[in-house]
Amino acid sequence: MKQQRHKFKFIVLLIACMLCGAGYAQQNTGATNSYKKRVLETTEVDFLSSYYSQNGDNAAVTGGIGTEELTDVTGTIIVSVPLNDDDILTIDAVVSAYTSASSSNVDPFDGSERADSFVASTGASRSDVWTNLSGTYTHSSDDRNTMYSGNLSVSSEYDYFSFGFGGGLTKLFNEKNTEVSINANIFLDTWTPIYPTELRPFASGANGLDNGFFLNKTITGNTDYSPTFEKFTDETRNSYSVGLGFSQILGKNLQGSLALDFVKQDGLLSTPFQRVYFADIADSFIQEFQLADAIEQLPDSRFKVAGGGRLNWYINESVVLRSYYRYYFDDWGINSHTASVEVPIKLTDKFTVYPSYRFYQQSATDYFYGYEEAFSTDTFYTSDYDLSKYSANQFGMGVSYTDIFTKMHVWKLGLKSIDVKFYKYDRNTTFSSSIVTAGFKFVMD
């Protein structure tokens, strides 16, 4: 497996060098003294928001059983500023606030109700806020055939902090009918591990039942509760990605593109607060809540490869057919297929509707076990159904309003477009979700 990963790394580096060499070998044939159109005429401001909700009965926090109920409200502002004719600076700020029944059961005993994996705890662990701030600088050559970009990002949540950076190169050929791109990104994450509350007293082999947490609680079922629990020593996770893209105008009404992505991750890839229940250990309970036998254990490295393509067919001035397919695999044993279609239909000069459908299917990771299917002698195990075998369908509908003349104004901002979309997602497990998004694009007068 290590040899296979080294081969992939070599291929990535070789392709990257070839693309960069081809980019620099091309001569600048543009007339630099002629009129040059600005890449971005004026400052643009996007306000995006979404409301997401989900439910299911296979929460990873409670070992593959229990409520997955979650709601999330997200707000995003994106500001794109033209620094001059060739350069653009884009600032992207996101705040996401969620309430999660499953994550509330990291400590199911901190609420006022009896502990139960199918009932959300009312304690402080049931909600949190995720924030992200990123900046991207983009430079275009005088002939607009070459574009360079660089980006930085920081994000934080209650149990981790992430810092990321990267860059990209895009080249246009064949009178801008052909586009080739390469991008690379690195994310350096630091965890502040939070473990299931009943396991904490047993860290490093301690006799947890003598701890104050258990002194005022009654254990039923297997009263000799003695899990083996060690804290993770590595609290970092690093991710490295390289993406290659190719786009070609195939005809007057047809455009296609291909993409190939490689991702390498190292470090803490397990989620510290996700429980696992073993088949060979008797169950222990406090109230109606089953106590963890262990926490999720996954390898400390992962290599992912995804390749796919898009084909857009402009049927006429009113209808476009957008199709997409992607194949994915990794060295954890997951293989997946994604296929989607979207059909924008232009009703008037200003209004367009977007019906869409997406199908997804994946195999299970080698380390997935359902509730009480893993054994204590196993080395790696998880009961996270995101890593299980499943298929899913997603139906969507969107509506877009566009006013190229920006007649409506808010302060010094002219309204350019409004987009509202709704998606309904269902797995062939018990999991389902829905999301409503709204976006408003303004341009500075």
Side-chain angles (χ1 to χ4, degrees):
M1 188 63 69
K2 289 185 177 178
Q3 290 180 345
Q4 184 182 23
R5 290 200 293 267
H6 288 313
K7 289 180 180 178
F8 274 120
K9 291 179 182 178
F10 175 77
I11 293 171
V12 172
L13 291 174
L14 179 60
I15 295 174
C17 291
M18 292 173 61
L19 290 175
C20 290
Y24 284 109
Q26 184 191 35
Q27 297 294 321
N28 181 358
T29 58
T32 57
N33 294 326
S34 63
Y35 169 75
K36 182 171 62 175
K37 180 178 175 62
R38 292 171 66 92
V39 177
L40 184 65
E41 293 294 335
T42 186
T43 299
E44 294 184 349
V45 181
D46 291 272
F47 295 97
L48 310 175
S49 62
S50 67
Y51 175 81
Y52 171 86
S53 65
Q54 70 174 48
N55 212 336
D57 299 322
N58 301 113
V61 175
T62 45
I65 59 172
T67 177
E68 296 178 82
E69 184 180 357
L70 179 147
T71 58
D72 178 278
V73 178
T74 300
T76 304
I77 180 170
I78 304 172
V79 181
S80 299
V81 181
L83 303 178
N84 49 50
D85 289 351
D86 306 321
D87 302 326
I88 300 173
L89 177 64
T90 301
I91 305 297
D92 188 336
V94 184
V95 177
S96 176
Y98 68 85
T99 300
S100 170
S102 61
S103 65
S104 74
N105 282 325
V106 173
D107 184 357
F109 310 105
D110 63 352
S112 57
E113 299 181 4
R114 290 179 63 83
D116 189 321
S117 59
F118 286 93
V119 177
S121 171
T122 56
S125 60
R126 68 193 303 263
S127 62
D128 194 52
V129 175
W130 175 82
T131 58
N132 173 266
L133 180 66
S134 62
T136 302
Y137 168 80
T138 305
H139 171 78
S140 297
S141 62
D142 288 338
D143 61 6
R144 301 300 186 247
N145 285 330
T146 305
M147 286 160 282
Y148 306 92
S149 65
N151 61 81
L152 293 172
S153 68
V154 293
S155 58
S156 67
E157 201 173 358
Y158 71 100
D159 61 344
Y160 90 97
F161 176 83
S162 177
F163 172 71
F165 58 93
L169 168 66
T170 300
K171 296 288 293 185
L172 301 178
F173 304 92
N174 190 25
E175 297 182 347
K176 295 182 169 56
N177 288 318
T178 304
E179 178 181 307
V180 178
S181 64
I182 180 171
N183 62 80
N185 290 280
I186 297 176
F187 292 94
L188 308 175
D189 302 345
T190 302
W191 286 84
T192 303
I194 298 176
Y195 301 98
T197 187
E198 70 272 26
L199 292 179
R200 298 170 197 172
F202 293 90
S204 301
N207 186 354
L209 294 181
D210 292 337
N211 184 277
F213 172 80
F214 289 97
L215 294 181
N216 60 348
K217 294 178 175 64
T218 301
I219 298 177
T220 58
N222 175 21
T223 58
D224 185 22
Y225 180 60
S226 56
T228 300
F229 171 62
E230 295 287 342
K231 294 183 177 181
F232 291 111
T233 56
D234 185 358
E235 298 181 354
T236 63
R237 176 181 59 197
N238 300 331
S239 302
Y240 313 91
S241 67
V242 173
L244 305 174
F246 174 80
S247 178
Q248 177 67 47
I249 296 177
L250 302 171
K252 183 178 179 180
N253 299 324
L254 197 63
Q255 180 181 10
S257 65
L258 298 171
L260 184 61
D261 296 289
F262 303 88
V263 178
K264 180 68 168 67
Q265 293 182 298
D266 295 302
L268 180 51
L269 305 184
S270 305
T271 303
F273 52 75
Q274 294 189 167
R275 294 175 174 86
V276 172
Y277 299 116
F278 294 132
D280 56 339
I281 295 181
D283 301 340
S284 299
F285 296 85
I286 293 179
Q287 298 173 14
E288 280 71 55
F289 192 88
Q290 185 172 347
L291 305 181
D293 293 328
I295 57 173
E296 176 181 87
Q297 296 287 339
L298 291 170
D300 59 4
S301 67
R302 189 178 187 184
F303 186 63
K304 311 176 184 180
V305 180
R310 298 180 183 275
L311 191 63
N312 298 335
W313 179 26
Y314 298 84
I315 298 174
N316 54 48
E317 293 183 356
S318 300
V319 181
V320 178
L321 177 65
R322 297 174 179 168
S323 61
Y324 171 74
Y325 172 78
R326 187 190 75 159
Y327 175 70
Y328 164 94
F329 69 92
D330 62 32
D331 58 1
W332 284 9
I334 292 180
N335 295 267
S336 73
H337 302 270
T338 305
S340 67
V341 61
E342 184 180 63
V343 186
I345 303 172
K346 192 173 183 179
L347 302 179
T348 68
D349 290 342
K350 294 184 177 181
F351 288 95
T352 303
V353 295
Y354 297 84
S356 65
Y357 170 73
R358 176 180 179 269
F359 173 78
Y360 179 81
Q361 183 181 58
Q362 77 170 36
S363 62
T365 178
D366 298 335
Y367 317 117
F368 175 78
Y369 299 91
Y371 169 68
E372 292 194 337
E373 291 181 356
F375 287 86
S376 59
T377 53
D378 292 324
T379 303
F380 299 115
Y381 35 77
T382 177
S383 295
D384 186 347
Y385 272 70
D386 288 344
L387 300 176
S388 70
K389 178 182 178 180
Y390 69 87
S391 60
N393 296 280
Q394 177 179 280
F395 296 90
M397 176 61 74
V399 179
S400 174
Y401 167 83
T402 303
D403 181 4
I404 61 174
F405 300 108
T406 62
K407 294 180 180 179
M408 296 178 60
H409 284 75
V410 177
W411 187 56
K412 295 182 179 181
L413 301 175
L415 179 62
K416 188 174 182 178
S417 65
I418 301 174
D419 290 280
V420 179
K421 294 183 179 180
F422 172 79
Y423 297 98
K424 183 69 172 66
Y425 174 89
D426 289 289
R427 289 183 187 175
N428 63 344
T429 61
T430 62
F431 184 89
S432 64
S433 68
S434 60
I435 183 171
V436 178
T437 66
F440 302 84
K441 180 181 286 292
F442 294 89
V443 295
M444 186 76 72
D445 287 345

